[in-house]
Amino acid sequence: MAASVVPETDSIRRAVLLLNAVDPGRFPRLLSRLLQRLHLKAETSFSEEEEEKLQIAFSLEKQDLHLVLEAISFILEQAVYHNLKPASLQQQLQSIHLDQDKAEAFANAWAAGGQETIEKFRQRVLTPQKLETIGWQLNLQMSASTQAKLKSPRAVLELGVSNEDSKNLKKVFVEFSHQELFEFYNKLETIQAQLDSLT
Amino acid sequence: MAAVAVGKAAGAAYGHGESSGGSGGFLGPRVPAEVEAMARGLQEVGKETFRRLLKVTVNALEGKDCKDSVKLIAESTDLSEEQLAFLISGMYTLLREALRLPLSTFKQEVFKEDLKELRRPVSEGTALMQASRLPNVQDFKWRVDVAISTSSLARALQPSILMLMKLSDGTAHRFEVPVAKFQELRYNVALILKEMNDLEKRSILKIQD
């Protein structure tokens, strides 16, 4: 049997106790909400309002609520890391004394949205700059201050590169002549050939 | 001979709608004053001096500093400062306008040959003057990685592409391209190429001028 994915630390034990006491009615919805936002880098905390509502709904104090939310997130992250099957997850949770109905709720939520979450994690990149948007414009240059009667087609590529630090998209403008664009395309084709050889 | 050629060019430029084709010559409907003055002043200029003036003008067009060369010419000939000024400014304007036109329209073959004698081919002169344009790609480097394992996934096996683009304005951009975005980029570039091909086939581009 695989090593325990969820270690039995003090905080986990305490979280399990709290979870077992929680009303099972709204539990599945909480699970799927957390699962959907798991991959987001920013603190996926609920807003003040939402936290208060949760406190009331689950009759938990603020600190206990935080502990419960963190424990659920941790369990789900471990499920992502090890790519657990739903049945395996349920078994692991029951072995740390989580009630069966809650463990089953976990398994169901994981079965429904697990693969999607794993895929989102796969897409996460570590490099600070990532290509987000691609725009382009095809112009026909008729003349310039240094040259008359041109008729040369020119393409302008606008690449939107996101920076992890700032929220704005850095726009990079690059101009190509027909020949230059053709050479660029050949390089892209080479990259594609490499990608194809991976599968 | 070069003097004659420049003279002919200036003469052809005296278009005023009477030149060949009625297009007004390459200097436009009105010949600039300095070119006219130059054409008049050329009569007294010797071949050697003219050659040197031409060389100075071409250097000026290329953006090089020619104060010393002009001083040398001034000292070795008996042309007044004023005459020199007329000649050089006229030749500068003439050459600059001539270089704007593509080779197919410019018919002064003799003029071109004389420029070649100075070892300054016309195409080179044209290439030296770049109009304002957006930067183009000077260097493009890339690599394909496969992430085997990450802090969030024990078995990721996710390919990704890293690109480094160095542009002609000196800036360098390094960024990661997710595979899906790469496909989008490839598709768009192919689309632009297709549109360029269609554009070049259209009749408006076949009109010779």
Side-chain angles (χ1 to χ4, degrees), chain A residues 77 80-83 118-119 121-157 159 161-162 170-182 184-185 187-192 194-196 198, chain B residues 96 99-102 105 126 129-137 139-140 142 144-146 149-163 165 167 172-193 195-197 199-200 204-209:
Chain A
E77 278 166 10
V80 165
Y81 185 79
H82 294 280
N83 195 9
I118 289 178
E119 199 46 47
F121 269 96
R122 275 221 174 89
Q123 301 295 331
R124 255 167 66 167
V125 294
L126 277 177
T127 45
Q129 290 177 316
K130 189 170 102 163
L131 180 64
E132 302 271 8
T133 63
I134 299 160
W136 57 269
Q137 199 181 69
L138 177 59
N139 300 323
L140 185 62
Q141 189 181 28
M142 299 305 290
S143 75
S145 53
T146 51
Q147 187 122 31
K149 300 183 186 176
L150 274 172
K151 289 201 292 272
S152 95
R154 304 203 84 82
V156 177
L157 212 57
L159 301 171
V161 179
S162 71
K170 177 173 72 163
K171 296 270 168 94
V172 180
F173 291 96
V174 192
E175 192 176 322
F176 292 92
S177 69
H178 194 159
Q179 182 60 27
E180 288 164 354
L181 193 64
F182 187 64
F184 185 62
Y185 183 71
K187 288 177 187 160
L188 293 182
E189 284 290 290
T190 309
I191 299 176
Q192 183 62 41
Q194 291 301 322
L195 285 174
D196 290 339
L198 285 174
Chain B
R96 191 190 61 206
L99 282 172
R100 280 189 81 222
L101 293 177
T105 29
T126 324
M129 302 192 291
Q130 277 297 320
S132 61
R133 54 175 291 188
L134 287 168
N136 64 338
V137 174
D139 190 23
F140 176 62
W142 56 268
V144 173
D145 291 318
V146 176
S149 180
T150 69
S151 51
S152 8
L153 286 163
R155 268 288 164 275
L157 296 176
Q158 178 71 8
S160 66
I161 302 157
L162 196 65
M163 286 188 185
M165 251 187 213
L167 303 182
H173 302 274
R174 192 199 300 117
F175 50 87
E176 172 150 358
V177 184
V179 178
K181 267 292 166 244
F182 174 72
Q183 303 301 349
E184 198 183 310
L185 178 65
R186 206 167 67 102
Y187 169 76
N188 276 299
V189 173
L191 186 59
I192 306 174
L193 277 173
E195 298 242 342
M196 267 189 182
N197 273 324
L199 187 60
E200 281 164 358
I204 189 169
L205 292 176
K206 294 217 173 92
I207 299 172
Q208 268 306 327
D209 46 10

Side-chain angles (χ1 to χ4, degrees), chain A residues 3-7 31 35 38 71-90 92-93 106-107 109-111 113-115 117-119 121-122, chain B residues 151-155:
Chain A
S4 179
V5 149
V6 185
L31 279 182
L35 190 59
L38 201 64
I72 297 176
S73 299
F74 176 73
I75 292 169
L76 292 172
E77 278 166 10
Q78 287 298 93
V80 165
Y81 185 79
H82 294 280
N83 195 9
L84 289 176
K85 298 231 180 347
S88 183
L89 175 65
Q90 184 171 352
Q92 294 261 357
L93 290 173
F106 262 99
W110 182 243
Q115 283 311 306
T117 306
I118 289 178
E119 199 46 47
F121 269 96
R122 275 221 174 89
Chain B
S151 51
S152 8
L153 286 163
R155 268 288 164 275

